Amino acid sequence: MYRFADVIIDISLDKLDRPFSYRIPDRLLGRLEIGMRVLVPFGAGNTTKKAYIIALKENTEYDLSKVKDIQDIAKDAVTILEKQFLLAAFIRKNYGGTLNQALKVVLPAKTSVKKLLLREVVRIMERDEIISLKGEALRKHQNAKVKLLDALLEQESIPYEWITGKLGVSSQTILSLEKAGALKINSVTKYRDPVKFENAEDDRKNLSDEQRLIVDEIEKDFDNGNPGKYLIHGITGSGKTEVYMALIENVIKRGRQAIFLIPEIALTYQTLLRFYKRFGNRVSVMNSTLSPGEKYDQCMRARDGEIDIVIGPRSALFVPFKNLGMIVMDEEHETSYKSELTPKYHTFGVAKYLAKITDSALVLGSATPSLEAYYMAKNGEMRLFKLTKRLTGGELPEVFCVDMRQELNSGNKSIFSRKLKSLIEDRLEKNEQSMLFLNRRGYSGFISCRACGEVIKCPHCDVSLSEHYGGRMVCHYCGYETKKPAVCPKCGSKYIAGFKAGTEQIEQLLQKEFPGVKTLRMDADTTSTKDSYEKILSAFANEEAQILVGTQMIVKGHDFPKVTLVGVIAADMSLGSADYRASERTFQLITQAVGRAGRGQRPGNAVIQTYKPDHYAIEFAKNQDYEGFYEEEIAYREMLSYPPVAHMLAVLVMGADEAAVLKLSQSLSQRAKEYSKAENISESAMPVLGPTQAVIGRIKDLYRYVIYIKADNYDILVSVKDSLEEYLKLNPPGREYIQFDFDPINAF
Ligand code: ADP
Ligand code: ZN
Ligand code: ZN
């Protein structure tokens, strides 16, 4: 009989991140399980705290007179399953943070709020009446109405939030159709599926030879008891999703389940619809628009075997299937797969581990694979498949690269090149749509010359220097610092400055150049509310604007058949960022942006405006040559020991007292160096860089310093982290916080 339990207290405090022992009172004997949430008295004041049971024991080694009783089982608590525990322990070990934080990550729903009040929209008109209503709406160009009516033809009842959210149709439109007698709005208490499609017919395709090969090979491995890791490299529209669906179908036939991961922002109505058409109500969705109760329901449905597939962003990885067989990561290169909250886990790393402990296949797909994935494929750690043909017709656009230095030389000081301007004009005349993409990713005040394009770089690190107050330039990898020059060191021009144009400015400039033009803007400002992203996209799809201006958000997934021109305003902006991944990002963004044009019947054009037409990232992107880009980029990573060739651990120290932050950073850096000495690791095998002030040196009055530690072997970095944590336990910092970030994807 278990009479004692070890628990983890539910507080995010490093100091309490260890198990505490409690006695199980008689009335709870035999009722407790590992993973349950309980209430315990804690500390001198015996305040009631929530805790997770992580072990049950017959005896305890502690002084019995000091061991307290568990109070009760927490109400509405979610029990953590064994696999989730393993995942939490893995995350804790490999990415840092406390076990309690890791447990929170693996529990997609923290409480079991059931019985929600939900609204759903139900069709009450006959289909042919709906069709005639739709005809009328089409004539009046009421695009939102058309969309909703289409959806109602597809399925009889639709969650209200889905319509106003993902579908981007306003409440007014719903109300006007309610008035017209086409639908009614119901309140339902029981949660069913996030979406339910009826009368939806699967338009299954006969797989092409390239597709067939992938499906057959993976199936063979699976049946031989060797589910492996695979990377599918195929341009958008080459049939990857069709392959995923075939793969998942095979897995389900064998009584296993599948997790289909997508970057949050790419969860489109179209993708979902395709899955529902094939798998019906055995599919579910997990994303941030679901309430905690809905998330909980989806987890329970998965655990109880009611669903076979869950689609969602990285958190979908933690849906507790009984017999998982496959994990798919679509758009594998997307940075949103990395968590930016502690624990800063990499979805791929966790997925790999989950695949291992569940004997599942892991399938990655992308049009522009991350260097990490491609490197693994090249080294035989993952099998590479290619899809080379676009199956829907539509040709890749003709691409023009404009050298903005020459534009300036010819007297054009505008942000638009002459080529781009004339093409925009042409599209406006033809009533076709354009997209202007301002590449601002990684933007952190780097300094470049407008006359020759020179970007000022650190002499030691090959990353650009960032502009700081007081005319200083700083390297955020090694701390190198120098004064900002008055003229360009290369050409002597005085046009040397940080690049500052924003999307708003571009919109204004468009108005000036093309009076009366209808534009839409999509950036962090215009998409701060929950559904604004989908709303802007649907407005553009409904042709409420001729030009869509935006940041990297606009290059993702969506198909706009009427877009025949894509302009990349400052293609090399992201090249200047203080980040070793700058070229990779630039290549991915331009490749994707260019791929936006000419999806429909009409051929498209793309204009890449750059100060560095000769940069390999730009040249390879212009030619849509991934392989060429990879070879050049991996050589650079090899030369400088950057991931994926080597690994990097960033230790971020934050606190309100700058001197204390700096002192702690120095101690940690010292400790890391002592560790390598004790372990006989040479300085070149494990360089410790910094501390240096972070890119953003202070956020919300907290100063930030960072230490970078590099090593060829990831496990060395995990041990260094363990050693630093050990140090912190023995020398608890006053009021400073420490964050670990393995293979960071953003510079600090
Ligand atoms: P990706 O996921 O690579 O963008 P999709 O799977 O979405 O590609 O396929 C792109 C388009 O091609 C879709 O409209 C899909 O229905 C169609 N398609 C996919 N596979 C085939 C096939 N074997 N035969 C015909 N059309 C196909
Ligand atoms: Zn210059
Ligand atoms: Zn440097």
Side-chain angles (χ1 to χ4, degrees):
M1 179 67 90
Y2 297 123
R3 297 196 168 270
F4 300 93
D6 285 351
V7 306
I8 292 283
I9 308 287
D10 189 2
I11 314 176
S12 293
L13 261 190
D14 297 3
K15 287 168 216 157
L16 299 181
D17 194 40
R18 62 178 182 84
F20 291 86
S21 281
Y22 282 85
R23 183 187 295 105
I24 303 173
D26 286 349
R27 75 197 150 79
L28 293 179
L29 279 179
R31 288 176 54 201
L32 299 184
E33 286 168 31
I34 291 182
M36 249 184 195
R37 227 143 69 118
V38 290
L39 303 174
V40 297
F42 190 75
N46 280 332
T47 35
T48 299
K49 295 272 180 224
K50 284 184 182 144
Y52 299 104
I53 299 181
I54 61 161
L56 293 168
K57 297 180 167 172
E58 287 170 22
N59 292 301
T60 181
E61 59 271 32
Y62 293 101
D63 179 357
L64 279 179
S65 65
K66 291 204 179 121
V67 175
K68 300 172 190 173
D69 277 10
I70 289 179
Q71 280 171 356
D72 215 336
I73 299 170
K75 279 209 179 62
D76 304 326
V78 178
T79 297
I80 304 175
L81 305 171
E82 188 197 339
K83 280 204 195 78
Q84 293 175 308
F85 253 119
L86 289 174
L87 286 175
F90 176 86
I91 288 174
R92 151 94 193 80
K93 173 152 182 57
N94 285 282
Y95 305 105
T98 65
L99 185 56
N100 186 48
Q101 283 167 331
L103 286 171
K104 293 218 150 89
V105 168
V106 303
L107 281 179
K110 271 112 213 160
T111 47
S112 62
V113 246
K114 264 217 163 148
K115 293 271 184 294
L116 284 164
L117 199 64
L118 278 179
R119 279 179 303 173
E120 62 177 13
V121 169
V122 182
R123 179 180 87 209
I124 50 175
M125 248 180 200
E126 292 298 318
R127 290 176 68 89
D128 41 358
E129 284 178 282
I130 296 273
I131 291 169
S132 80
L133 261 186
K134 183 184 152 189
E136 190 188 317
L138 269 173
R139 272 194 304 281
K140 294 187 187 155
H141 298 290
Q142 295 166 323
N143 292 313
K145 251 187 204 171
V146 173
K147 255 190 174 182
L148 178 51
L149 290 168
D150 267 337
L152 283 170
L153 285 170
E154 201 78 66
Q155 50 185 319
E156 219 168 84
S157 69
I158 314 171
Y160 193 95
E161 273 66 35
W162 186 271
I163 298 176
T164 54
K166 288 280 169 239
L167 204 55
V169 169
S170 69
S171 312
Q172 285 97 302
T173 307
I174 301 178
L175 286 178
S176 77
L177 282 176
E178 188 190 23
K179 262 201 199 130
L183 55 84
K184 64 176 181 187
I185 301 166
N186 274 352
S187 285
V188 285
T189 46
K190 188 174 172 317
Y191 192 77
R192 296 189 310 218
D193 306 327
V195 207
K196 204 167 170 197
F197 295 95
E198 281 160 30
N199 309 323
E201 250 169 64
D202 186 10
D203 45 4
R204 181 188 298 273
K205 302 281 189 292
N206 285 323
L207 295 183
S208 70
D209 290 346
E210 282 184 333
Q211 288 173 317
R212 186 84 259 156
L213 175 83
I214 305 177
V215 175
D216 288 349
E217 291 292 303
I218 296 180
E219 183 176 16
K220 209 159 65 191
D221 287 353
F222 198 84
D223 285 341
N224 289 336
N226 294 315
K229 298 192 277 288
Y230 313 90
L231 171 63
I232 303 175
H233 177 205
I235 52 169
T236 331
S238 62
K240 293 187 294 296
T241 309
E242 205 64 32
V243 169
Y244 304 145
M245 292 200 297
L247 288 169
I248 290 174
E249 200 168 24
N250 281 340
V251 165
I252 293 173
K253 269 191 205 138
R254 289 160 177 77
R256 310 277 291 271
Q257 298 91 39
I259 294 172
F260 183 64
L261 299 172
I262 37 145
E264 171 98 45
I265 220 155
L267 180 55
T268 60
Y269 186 73
Q270 284 80 4
T271 309
L272 261 182
L273 189 60
R274 278 170 79 181
F275 272 83
Y276 275 96
K277 280 180 176 173
R278 177 120 357 140
F279 299 105
N281 59 5
R282 305 292 295 176
V283 188
S284 189
V285 195
M286 193 68 152
N287 73 350
S288 62
T289 62
L290 298 189
S291 69
E294 289 169 328
K295 284 184 185 164
Y296 174 79
D297 274 5
Q298 300 322 304
C299 287
M300 292 306 103
R301 292 174 70 208
R303 201 195 58 187
D304 300 341
E306 280 179 34
I307 53 174
D308 295 318
I309 309 163
V310 67
I311 303 181
R314 57 173 195 259
S315 61
L317 205 49
F318 305 110
V319 169
F321 281 115
K322 272 225 179 77
N323 202 1
L324 190 67
M326 179 172 284
I327 305 167
V328 177
M329 250 179 107
D330 192 24
E331 308 278 350
E332 152 287 316
H333 63 278
E334 278 293 327
T335 51
S336 65
Y337 278 126
K338 166 84 188 293
S339 168
E340 284 307 321
L341 300 170
T342 300
K344 298 188 164 189
Y345 69 92
H346 287 266
T347 301
F348 176 59
V350 180
K352 220 163 55 172
Y353 177 71
L354 180 61
K356 193 172 120 193
I357 61 175
T358 54
D359 249 325
S360 296
L362 176 58
V363 180
L364 273 55
S366 172
T368 50
S370 65
L371 266 264
E372 275 74 6
Y374 215 72
Y375 185 70
M376 286 183 73
K378 289 256 168 175
N379 288 335
E381 288 171 71
M382 196 152 39
R383 179 149 176 207
L384 179 64
F385 291 111
K386 293 197 183 199
L387 289 174
T388 53
K389 298 181 199 82
R390 197 164 254 181
L391 296 161
T392 43
E395 278 162 38
L396 283 173
E398 188 184 356
V399 185
F400 303 96
C401 214
V402 181
D403 185 341
M404 292 305 279
R405 297 169 301 186
Q406 280 175 14
E407 291 289 311
L408 189 71
N409 284 342
S410 333
N412 178 15
K413 291 209 181 92
S414 153
I415 194 163
F416 306 121
S417 62
R418 290 160 296 178
K419 183 83 200 170
L420 182 58
K421 225 175 99 179
S422 74
L423 285 175
I424 294 177
E425 230 155 45
D426 176 67
R427 295 316 191 261
L428 289 175
E429 266 166 32
K430 288 187 189 148
N431 199 21
E432 295 175 7
Q433 289 182 303
S434 306
M435 282 166 96
L436 295 185
F437 163 52
L438 179 66
N439 183 1
R440 282 179 68 89
R441 178 157 239 165
Y443 171 71
S444 61
F446 74 95
I447 300 157
S448 66
C449 170
R450 283 199 68 186
C452 78
E454 175 83 352
V455 171
I456 302 188
K457 289 194 158 180
C458 171
H460 305 297
C461 301
D462 206 17
V463 295
S464 63
L465 296 173
S466 297
E467 190 168 14
H468 275 227
Y469 289 110
R472 293 179 308 130
M473 306 187 299
V474 180
C475 169
H476 295 296
Y477 281 82
C478 73
Y480 172 84
E481 190 179 315
T482 181
K483 251 185 70 183
K484 186 182 153 193
V487 296
C488 170
K490 195 167 161 209
C491 75
S493 159
K494 58 182 192 309
Y495 287 104
I496 184 158
F499 192 100
K500 295 230 164 60
T503 44
E504 214 173 331
Q505 226 172 322
I506 292 179
E507 250 190 327
Q508 285 162 7
L509 287 169
L510 280 172
Q511 282 307 335
K512 222 154 95 207
E513 297 276 358
F514 312 101
V517 63
K518 282 185 283 178
T519 58
L520 276 165
R521 177 162 64 96
M522 182 146 87
D523 55 24
D525 295 338
T526 60
T527 53
S528 50
T529 60
K530 206 163 145 193
D531 302 316
S532 39
Y533 176 79
E534 286 281 338
K535 271 184 194 145
I536 296 171
L537 288 178
S538 47
F540 191 55
N542 290 337
E543 293 180 63
E544 285 164 36
Q546 296 153 299
I547 304 179
L548 175 63
V549 180
T551 54
Q552 50 269 13
M553 288 179 187
I554 67 172
V555 303
K556 302 286 147 61
H558 296 256
D559 260 353
F560 301 107
K562 280 234 168 152
V563 171
T564 55
L565 173 65
V566 168
V568 183
I569 297 294
D572 32 33
M573 182 89 109
S574 53
L575 283 175
S577 73
D579 193 334
Y580 70 90
R581 292 183 205 244
S583 301
E584 182 179 0
R585 296 237 168 107
T586 304
F587 175 81
Q588 285 169 350
L589 286 170
I590 298 178
T591 309
Q592 288 171 13
V594 166
R596 296 292 100 197
R599 285 296 179 77
Q601 299 306 313
R602 279 166 284 196
N605 289 135
V607 177
I608 303 174
Q609 297 191 163
T610 174
Y611 289 95
K612 288 183 175 167
D614 308 326
H615 191 285
Y616 65 100
I618 306 236
E619 280 198 327
F620 286 123
K622 176 182 172 228
N623 300 323
Q624 306 267 300
D625 178 2
Y626 180 84
E627 196 73 32
F629 171 75
Y630 173 82
E631 291 302 336
E632 185 121 12
E633 179 67 14
I634 203 77
Y636 157 78
R637 305 278 176 98
E638 239 149 35
M639 199 165 67
L640 292 165
S641 297
Y642 280 129
V645 181
H647 296 282
M648 199 150 93
L649 167 63
V651 184
L652 182 67
V653 183
M654 294 164 287
D657 176 352
E658 186 169 14
V661 171
L662 185 57
K663 188 155 164 269
L664 178 58
S665 316
Q666 280 158 347
S667 318
L668 291 174
S669 155
Q670 192 55 38
R671 167 78 179 209
K673 285 174 188 156
E674 281 161 16
Y675 172 86
S676 61
K677 229 180 248 143
E679 296 287 317
N680 268 325
I681 305 168
S682 75
E683 224 183 289
S684 60
M686 192 195 116
V688 179
L689 310 173
T692 156
Q693 199 181 23
V695 176
I696 309 174
R698 190 168 68 152
I699 295 178
K700 289 186 183 155
D701 290 326
L702 292 183
Y703 290 90
R704 296 149 58 90
Y705 279 80
V706 64
I707 306 162
Y708 282 101
I709 305 164
K710 286 188 190 174
D712 285 352
N713 185 333
Y714 193 95
D715 293 336
I716 291 185
L717 295 181
V718 173
S719 310
V720 176
K721 180 217 70 185
D722 288 346
S723 155
L724 296 181
E725 281 183 338
E726 191 62 28
Y727 174 85
L728 290 165
K729 276 213 170 108
L730 295 172
N731 310 276
R735 307 184 56 185
E736 286 70 46
Y737 310 89
I738 290 92
Q739 253 182 27
F740 294 101
D741 196 338
F742 286 82
D743 289 346
I745 54 166
N746 290 309
F748 285 98

